[in-house]
Amino acid sequence: MVGRVLAQAMWPFMLVAFVFVTRDQLLFAAAAFILSGFLIALIGLGPDRLGRYIVIAALLTAPINDKDLRPLPGGPVTFSDVFLLLGFALLLPALTRRGVVLPLDWVLGALIIMFLVLITALLVEAPVEALGYGTRLVATAVVIPFLFLIWRPERRTIEILVWAYIVGQLGSIAWAVVEHHSRWDGLATHPNFFGMAGTTALALLVHKWFTTTGRERSLALAAAVVVAGGIYMSGSRAALIVTVVMALIVPFVERTSASAFSVLAGGVIALLVLQWAIRYAGEDSALGRLTGGGTAEGSDTERRDKLAIGIDKWTHSPIWGNAFDGTALDAHNIYLEVAIGIGVVGLFGFLLVLWSGSRSLFTDHPLRRLSYPAVAFAATGMLTNSLWDRFVWCAVALSILAVIPLTGEDLPPDEPDAQDSPSLPHDTKVATL
């Protein structure tokens, strides 16, 4: 309370001081204004609470990765990256005082990835370049999940993080509607990434649907309809295929009569309108491109050529890989891309990381439905080159949280569909540090 009162009292003086010092430089004045606001928030809220809010902002801005909307336009660092770094830096003092619970399969996969990224980089002619690209995979598949695992946010914060990502994608869709492009890309760098962020948000909405009731469930349904529309208009065939696959998987996993009926009804409606939809869909829509319209033919040819080149490159060093370089994402298949970079051994480690985020779906963990984003990414990976994009890995990190046990105070009340859900043994193997 004293800190908050002090912050409110200091705010006018600090603001005037900063602006006075930078009065001749507009850019510095703006930076000073932001810095003063940050310092006041830090004093008033404390590092733990402010860090939590900033990480939430990182999830909110994760789907927003347009190259023109970055701290340095055109650079590799997004605002989501900055928020993640700053948020966890503020949380770090509190995190170091807590015990760490890590899934053993994720630990093994992370160690394999880090070891092979380092070793393969040292064995090629351009080690600095190889290490620069390889550390991107380490940052996303290892560092981001590790930060969330040592944080272990309470259930309420996790649900806010989920909604933050969904709201960020809805904002991107709203911008896409304003832009009116033939293929929507919203606030993403590419229509395919826009569609992929949509499948990630849709996977998170499946979690919300089964774990909420009343008004929030209605909001989740409405958001799902909007997000599905964004996927369709993105023109991403991979996103459309994965959406259909997810729709088929959900009733088998959930074993609920409502979900089975919904998929059955949706399938009947889809069959009735499919012929009409194919005829009248825009060539650049996902369905139009799936049936060969728009840029599909040229894209298919390019992908086949790069896939053949990637396979040939992988055969030069199939076990340990060739290290990552500027062509690391050319294959348009994340599994082949990992195999090219760090071989089948590294691919095994990568699969362990994805498995650690997916396996909870088949247990009775209270957060098991958070595994859907990891499952969606694993499926999309066969058709995309999005290997180390943070807009995916932030959601996969939430999936991995569904593996570790919740503490007593974090355990939620009975879920709305708990009586219809599978109750399988929860076999979580963890390492406690």
Side-chain angles (χ1 to χ4, degrees):
M1 178 61 106
V2 175
R4 187 174 302 174
V5 173
L6 180 62
Q8 293 173 350
M10 289 176 60
W11 164 254
F13 297 102
M14 292 185 65
L15 179 59
V16 170
F18 276 129
V19 172
F20 178 79
V21 172
T22 59
R23 62 187 184 278
D24 296 327
Q25 298 290 336
L26 182 60
L27 181 61
F28 288 129
F33 183 85
I34 295 172
L35 178 59
S36 63
F38 172 76
L39 292 176
I40 296 302
L42 180 61
I43 296 172
L45 298 174
D48 292 351
R49 184 180 299 179
L50 181 59
R52 187 185 307 119
Y53 292 159
I54 293 177
V55 174
I56 292 171
L59 269 291
L60 177 68
T61 55
I64 302 172
N65 51 60
D66 191 294
K67 290 185 177 180
D68 294 328
L69 296 174
R70 299 187 177 185
L72 296 176
V77 178
T78 67
F79 278 105
S80 182
D81 299 335
V82 174
F83 290 143
L84 280 176
L85 180 62
L86 181 58
F88 280 109
L90 291 171
L91 289 168
L92 190 59
L95 300 183
T96 55
R97 299 192 295 267
R98 303 177 59 182
V100 181
V101 181
L102 303 175
L104 289 177
D105 45 5
W106 178 84
V107 171
L108 179 58
L111 290 175
I112 291 173
I113 291 173
M114 289 190 295
F115 177 76
L116 285 178
V117 163
L118 177 61
I119 295 302
T120 54
L122 295 177
L123 297 178
V124 296
E125 295 181 357
V128 175
E129 179 189 26
L131 196 59
Y133 282 103
T135 51
R136 298 186 185 187
L137 180 60
V138 173
T140 51
V142 178
V143 175
I144 292 178
F146 178 73
L147 291 174
F148 277 91
L149 285 168
I150 62 174
W151 182 24
R152 281 186 295 156
E154 65 276 6
R155 176 69 182 263
R156 186 177 65 172
T157 300
I158 291 174
E159 299 301 339
I160 294 174
L161 291 167
V162 169
W163 270 120
Y165 189 101
I166 294 167
V167 170
Q169 179 60 13
L170 290 175
S172 185
I173 293 172
W175 181 257
V177 173
V178 173
E179 283 189 313
H180 291 297
H181 285 175
S182 56
R183 285 189 67 188
W184 290 6
D185 57 4
L187 296 173
T189 58
H190 190 276
N192 289 344
F193 289 178
F194 176 68
M196 195 171 176
T199 60
T200 304
L202 203 58
L204 291 171
L205 282 163
V206 174
H207 160 77
K208 297 305 301 182
W209 171 262
F210 284 104
T211 56
T212 57
T213 57
R215 182 181 299 178
E216 190 173 1
R217 174 176 276 197
S218 299
L219 288 174
L221 178 60
V225 172
V226 175
V227 170
I231 293 171
Y232 177 76
M233 293 307 298
S234 73
S236 172
R237 293 170 292 175
L240 179 62
I241 291 171
V242 170
T243 300
V244 174
V245 170
M246 292 290 291
L248 297 175
I249 287 176
V250 169
F252 290 101
V253 174
E254 301 300 334
R255 302 180 190 176
T256 65
S257 55
S259 59
F261 176 79
S262 299
V263 171
L264 179 62
V268 171
I269 294 173
L271 289 175
L272 292 175
V273 303
L274 184 60
Q275 185 175 0
W276 175 88
I278 292 176
R279 182 177 179 182
Y280 292 100
E283 287 192 351
D284 288 315
S285 69
L287 187 58
R289 297 183 75 246
L290 193 61
T291 56
T295 59
E297 183 176 351
S299 177
D300 289 342
T301 300
E302 182 181 2
R303 291 191 181 203
R304 281 194 298 267
D305 292 343
K306 290 185 175 181
L307 187 64
I309 293 172
I311 293 174
D312 180 67
K313 187 174 181 180
W314 169 66
T315 57
H316 290 145
S317 181
I319 306 300
W320 306 110
N322 306 271
F324 292 104
D325 57 20
T327 64
L329 304 182
D330 285 354
H332 279 274
N333 181 307
I334 64 172
Y335 304 108
L336 179 58
E337 290 164 0
V338 172
I340 293 171
I342 50 180
V344 294
V345 178
L347 177 59
F348 174 71
F350 183 74
L351 291 175
L352 280 177
V353 170
L354 285 184
W355 170 246
S356 68
S358 305
R359 64 181 172 89
S360 184
L361 189 61
F362 308 102
T363 71
D364 59 354
H365 193 287
L367 294 175
R368 65 182 184 83
R369 296 180 180 95
L370 279 179
S371 293
Y372 280 115
V375 173
F377 179 49
T380 312
M382 295 180 287
L383 302 167
T384 184
N385 63 346
S386 182
L387 176 58
W388 46 57
D389 289 289
R390 280 77 69 201
F391 74 87
V392 174
W393 281 100
C394 283
V396 174
L398 294 179
S399 298
I400 298 176
L401 281 178
V403 177
I404 61 176
L406 292 177
T407 59
E409 61 269 18
D410 288 336
L411 292 176
D414 292 339
E415 296 177 358
D417 294 313
Q419 69 278 8
D420 245 350
S421 301
S423 180
L424 303 177
H426 178 48
D427 181 20
T428 301
K429 296 180 179 180
V430 298
T432 303
L433 303 179

